[in-house]
mmCIF file of all heavy atoms in Angstrom:
data_model
loop_
_atom_site.group_PDB
_atom_site.id
_atom_site.type_symbol
_atom_site.label_atom_id
_atom_site.label_comp_id
_atom_site.label_asym_id
_atom_site.label_seq_id
_atom_site.Cartn_x
_atom_site.Cartn_y
_atom_site.Cartn_z
ATOM 1 N N ALA X 638 16.140 29.025 -18.380
ATOM 2 C CA ALA X 638 17.302 29.108 -17.509
ATOM 3 C C ALA X 638 17.921 27.732 -17.288
ATOM 4 O O ALA X 638 17.222 26.729 -17.240
ATOM 5 C CB ALA X 638 16.911 29.713 -16.165
ATOM 6 N N SER X 639 19.234 27.708 -17.148
ATOM 7 C CA SER X 639 19.942 26.464 -16.852
ATOM 8 C C SER X 639 21.191 26.800 -16.027
ATOM 9 O O SER X 639 22.028 27.588 -16.485
ATOM 10 C CB SER X 639 20.345 25.747 -18.140
ATOM 11 O OG SER X 639 21.013 24.536 -17.848
ATOM 12 N N PRO X 640 21.290 26.218 -14.833
ATOM 13 C CA PRO X 640 20.322 25.347 -14.159
ATOM 14 C C PRO X 640 19.081 26.130 -13.738
ATOM 15 O O PRO X 640 19.092 27.366 -13.728
ATOM 16 C CB PRO X 640 21.108 24.838 -12.944
ATOM 17 C CG PRO X 640 22.102 25.918 -12.658
ATOM 18 C CD PRO X 640 22.502 26.447 -14.004
ATOM 19 N N PRO X 641 18.003 25.420 -13.387
ATOM 20 C CA PRO X 641 16.735 26.089 -13.091
ATOM 21 C C PRO X 641 16.696 26.736 -11.709
ATOM 22 O O PRO X 641 16.232 26.156 -10.727
ATOM 23 C CB PRO X 641 15.715 24.946 -13.189
ATOM 24 C CG PRO X 641 16.494 23.718 -12.892
ATOM 25 C CD PRO X 641 17.871 23.955 -13.406
ATOM 26 N N SER X 642 17.198 27.961 -11.625
ATOM 27 C CA SER X 642 17.172 28.718 -10.377
ATOM 28 C C SER X 642 17.167 30.200 -10.706
ATOM 29 O O SER X 642 17.354 30.608 -11.865
ATOM 30 C CB SER X 642 18.368 28.359 -9.485
ATOM 31 O OG SER X 642 19.583 28.629 -10.140
ATOM 32 N N LEU X 643 16.954 31.035 -9.680
ATOM 33 C CA LEU X 643 16.753 32.470 -9.924
ATOM 34 C C LEU X 643 17.980 33.165 -10.502
ATOM 35 O O LEU X 643 17.849 34.034 -11.364
ATOM 36 C CB LEU X 643 16.339 33.164 -8.620
ATOM 37 C CG LEU X 643 14.904 32.933 -8.127
ATOM 38 C CD1 LEU X 643 14.614 33.827 -6.928
ATOM 39 C CD2 LEU X 643 13.895 33.205 -9.240
ATOM 40 N N GLU X 644 19.171 32.804 -10.031
ATOM 41 C CA GLU X 644 20.375 33.497 -10.515
ATOM 42 C C GLU X 644 20.587 33.318 -12.018
ATOM 43 O O GLU X 644 20.768 34.306 -12.753
ATOM 44 C CB GLU X 644 21.595 33.034 -9.717
ATOM 45 C CG GLU X 644 22.851 33.833 -10.046
ATOM 46 C CD GLU X 644 24.026 33.450 -9.159
ATOM 47 O OE1 GLU X 644 23.806 32.870 -8.083
ATOM 48 O OE2 GLU X 644 25.172 33.735 -9.556
ATOM 49 N N PRO X 645 20.564 32.090 -12.530
ATOM 50 C CA PRO X 645 20.673 31.927 -13.988
ATOM 51 C C PRO X 645 19.495 32.566 -14.736
ATOM 52 O O PRO X 645 19.668 33.041 -15.853
ATOM 53 C CB PRO X 645 20.687 30.411 -14.181
ATOM 54 C CG PRO X 645 21.111 29.851 -12.878
ATOM 55 C CD PRO X 645 20.564 30.775 -11.845
ATOM 56 N N LEU X 646 18.317 32.570 -14.112
ATOM 57 C CA LEU X 646 17.147 33.192 -14.735
ATOM 58 C C LEU X 646 17.373 34.684 -14.926
ATOM 59 O O LEU X 646 17.104 35.243 -16.002
ATOM 60 C CB LEU X 646 15.909 32.937 -13.883
ATOM 61 C CG LEU X 646 14.584 33.501 -14.413
ATOM 62 C CD1 LEU X 646 14.173 32.808 -15.701
ATOM 63 C CD2 LEU X 646 13.489 33.361 -13.354
ATOM 64 N N LEU X 647 17.867 35.344 -13.892
ATOM 65 C CA LEU X 647 18.129 36.782 -13.989
ATOM 66 C C LEU X 647 19.228 37.063 -15.005
ATOM 67 O O LEU X 647 19.126 38.016 -15.799
ATOM 68 C CB LEU X 647 18.514 37.336 -12.619
ATOM 69 C CG LEU X 647 18.696 38.857 -12.569
ATOM 70 C CD1 LEU X 647 17.367 39.565 -12.813
ATOM 71 C CD2 LEU X 647 19.286 39.295 -11.238
ATOM 72 N N ALA X 648 20.279 36.237 -15.017
ATOM 73 C CA ALA X 648 21.361 36.417 -15.987
ATOM 74 C C ALA X 648 20.833 36.267 -17.411
ATOM 75 O O ALA X 648 21.242 37.007 -18.316
ATOM 76 C CB ALA X 648 22.466 35.402 -15.715
ATOM 77 N N LEU X 649 19.904 35.336 -17.600
ATOM 78 C CA LEU X 649 19.305 35.128 -18.910
ATOM 79 C C LEU X 649 18.489 36.338 -19.340
ATOM 80 O O LEU X 649 18.554 36.769 -20.515
ATOM 81 C CB LEU X 649 18.420 33.872 -18.872
ATOM 82 C CG LEU X 649 17.796 33.392 -20.171
ATOM 83 C CD1 LEU X 649 18.877 33.053 -21.205
ATOM 84 C CD2 LEU X 649 16.924 32.172 -19.920
ATOM 85 N N LEU X 650 17.747 36.908 -18.405
ATOM 86 C CA LEU X 650 16.977 38.120 -18.713
ATOM 87 C C LEU X 650 17.899 39.267 -19.130
ATOM 88 O O LEU X 650 17.629 39.967 -20.111
ATOM 89 C CB LEU X 650 16.150 38.544 -17.493
ATOM 90 C CG LEU X 650 14.842 37.808 -17.231
ATOM 91 C CD1 LEU X 650 14.283 38.216 -15.872
ATOM 92 C CD2 LEU X 650 13.836 38.101 -18.333
#
Side-chain angles (χ1 to χ4, degrees):
S639 181
S642 59
L643 286 187
E644 187 175 340
L646 181 66
L647 185 66
L649 186 60
L650 280 171

